[in-house]
Amino acid sequence: MTQISSSDAPTTSALTIDTPSGRVKGVARPDGTGAFLGLRYARADRFAPAGPEAPWDGERDASRHGPICPQAPGLLESTMGAALPPMDEDCLSLGGCVPPSAVGGSATPRPVLVRINGGADVNGSGSTPWYGGSSLASRGDV
């Protein structure tokens, strides 16, 4: 089971979780939610099947989104004014938000909502700002 812990520091403090692969450090956001970003879930060589992420020692930084898959800038990004994030073929990572009650260290199980970006590797990504999960995490306790 993944455990979330934090200190009684302000909401800009770091959060840590233990995952099956190792410990990661996310961030507490000003709105009271927490974020764990750029969490690598697999590795794959070009056109090869994905394999599991190898366990690591120590603590990995989870305060920034990982790279998105290579793509041309989309019309939606241009219209909404989003900067195109870094791209790389090594893009098998995900991000997650936790509600304020979990930031405080509550071990109460909660539902997990998963959103998979469509876009057909043509446009968009889970790190696009308007797809962030903090609003849902704070209002829906997921």
Side-chain angles (χ1 to χ4, degrees), residues 34-136:
F36 297 92
L37 307 171
L39 299 171
R40 181 178 292 284
Y41 62 88
R43 291 205 180 259
D45 291 326
R46 190 170 201 187
F47 303 119
E53 172 69 350
W56 60 84
D57 292 325
E59 190 173 81
R60 283 200 178 168
D61 178 35
S63 63
R64 292 181 308 276
H65 287 285
I68 67 170
C69 63
Q71 58 191 272
L75 180 59
L76 187 58
E77 285 82 5
S78 300
T79 303
M80 299 293 284
L84 205 56
M87 293 182 250
D88 195 306
E89 287 187 14
D90 186 12
C91 58
L92 301 178
S93 65
L94 55 86
C97 292
V98 296
S101 54
V103 171
S106 169
T108 303
R110 288 174 184 77
V112 175
L113 179 68
V114 177
R115 182 194 155 292
I116 299 173
N117 180 60
D121 293 333
V122 174
N123 66 6
S125 73
S127 61
T128 303
W130 50 87
Y131 295 137
S134 63
S135 178
L136 186 60

